Amino acid sequence: MTQRFHTGDAVRTRAANPDGHTRLPRYLCGRRGTVEAVHGVYPLPDERARGIALTSCTKEALYTVVFDGREVWRERSSEPLSISADLWDCYLEPERAAK
Amino acid sequence: MASRVGALVAKLEAKGIVREAELDAAVEAFLLSTQRAGGPALVARAWVDPAFRARLFADANRALDEIGVDMTHWAQVKLRAVENTDRVHNVIVCTLCSCYPVSLLGPSPSWYKSLAYRSRVVREPRAVLAEFGLKLDPGIEVRVWDSTAELRYVVIPRRPEGTEGLGEADLAALVTRDSLIGTAVCRANSAG
């Protein structure tokens, strides 16, 4: 799969968790964030955990995505917090730029 | 846990997959390698050498090569150094398991692997840091780095004031494990 996103892109994480292993933490499901860094292509752990060999599993772009703490926890706070996670391409969908 | 490990080892030995001597050698090599954990040396070099510091934030693995720290334990991992400033405080966690840059920091403390730390530090990091004795100004941005994938993170703490005359070795002695995780800051007298 090609790299769909670039640094600065607004993205939204997938809302639902799959049945098996994934590296999208549940607390970050369905949240809007910004691509902060692009790290190249890595084997998809969701497939590796199902026993699919390194040679035949899907390889996808990996990104660092930064989320505002208020977006993650759905609450107002005057104390600035950001949370980032390293997420594979298929965990993300493009988000129309807000504002 | 110990009895489960014991049962597993006994099975593997019975099947001829591992021998006790091999396991002992692997554990000893692991412990020896972590005793040479390079985190403090890395930070001290970044404090005294601005060009090295710039290279560290651009490509941490290459910077590690320069000072002879090997990040490859079982597999090559990509390291990213994140910088504390007067406006930003960084803290590291692995909410999904317990990913940790062991070659830089040594074996991880048990609290780092605890469910309490992993779940709370993303939810209420200021309260967690306060319990570690670190009270942050409300205006400082807390950045939590959740190591969910192939990268490992290390915090580069701020150089304490009053350390202008110190050399690299003395500076490295001020750099604690917790300051590299982000649950503490470096203090001029923390080495005693």
Side-chain angles (χ1 to χ4, degrees):
Chain A
M1 182 185 266
T2 54
Q3 176 193 327
R4 286 188 298 159
F5 305 108
H6 300 87
T7 301
D9 283 356
V11 292
R12 183 174 291 276
T13 55
R14 169 182 79 198
N17 258 334
D19 283 339
H21 176 81
T22 189
R23 298 284 189 83
L24 173 62
R26 193 159 296 206
Y27 76 95
L28 292 175
C29 285
R31 297 299 193 266
R32 199 172 71 85
T34 305
V35 174
E36 191 256 358
V38 184
H39 297 294
V41 171
Y42 287 87
L44 186 64
D46 310 43
E47 291 188 9
R48 293 284 291 140
R50 294 203 301 269
I52 298 174
L54 199 56
T55 46
S56 51
C57 75
T58 304
K59 281 86 177 176
E60 281 192 355
L62 178 71
Y63 312 91
T64 297
V65 180
V66 178
F67 304 86
D68 190 307
R70 292 166 296 190
E71 162 74 8
V72 173
W73 303 118
R74 307 283 199 226
E75 65 189 10
R76 290 183 195 175
S77 169
S78 58
E79 296 183 328
L81 167 64
S82 66
I83 301 167
S84 74
D86 299 323
L87 304 175
W88 271 265
D89 198 290
C90 66
Y91 302 170
L92 306 172
E93 289 304 330
E95 171 81 356
R96 296 264 163 80
K99 284 168 280 183
Chain B
M1 173 64 104
S3 62
R4 287 165 70 184
V5 170
L8 181 62
V9 169
K11 276 276 185 204
L12 290 170
E13 282 179 356
K15 295 245 180 204
I17 295 170
V18 295
R19 284 179 297 124
E20 195 175 355
E22 290 173 335
L23 276 182
D24 289 347
V27 170
E28 189 172 323
F30 174 74
L31 290 175
L32 276 175
S33 70
T34 59
Q35 280 169 14
R36 296 192 297 268
L42 180 75
V43 170
R45 177 67 61 85
W47 282 348
V48 300
D49 183 344
F52 178 80
R53 184 184 186 85
R55 292 196 293 278
L56 174 62
F57 291 123
D59 184 343
N61 291 80
R62 266 178 57 196
L64 284 187
D65 288 344
E66 283 184 44
I67 63 166
V69 173
D70 185 5
M71 275 289 282
T72 55
H73 268 299
W74 319 117
Q76 181 70 46
V77 293
K78 187 170 177 178
L79 180 75
R80 180 162 172 192
V82 292
E83 180 180 28
N84 282 354
T85 69
D86 58 354
R87 307 176 73 160
V88 173
H89 182 86
N90 296 281
V91 61
I92 293 166
V93 65
C94 171
T95 60
L96 296 177
C97 48
S98 56
C99 297
Y100 188 78
V102 64
S103 37
L104 283 175
L105 277 61
S108 59
S110 56
W111 57 257
Y112 184 86
K113 295 170 267 194
S114 72
L115 196 58
Y117 177 76
R118 287 157 49 212
S119 55
R120 289 185 58 214
V121 81
V122 290
R123 183 72 180 86
E124 44 172 7
R126 285 166 202 278
V128 171
L129 296 179
E131 288 170 30
F132 277 93
L134 178 58
K135 294 212 164 56
L136 294 176
D137 184 282
I140 289 184
E141 179 187 351
V142 176
R143 281 189 196 162
V144 183
W145 301 83
D146 190 354
S147 323
T148 49
E150 314 299 337
L151 279 83
R152 297 294 172 268
Y153 291 88
V154 62
V155 175
I156 304 301
R158 298 174 70 197
R159 181 173 175 166
E161 288 178 17
T163 59
E164 291 73 17
L166 296 185
E168 239 176 283
D170 289 334
L171 288 170
L174 303 179
V175 180
T176 61
R177 176 198 68 199
D178 289 4
S179 72
L180 298 164
I181 302 172
T183 52
V185 295
C186 291
R187 310 224 181 257
N189 58 0
S190 66

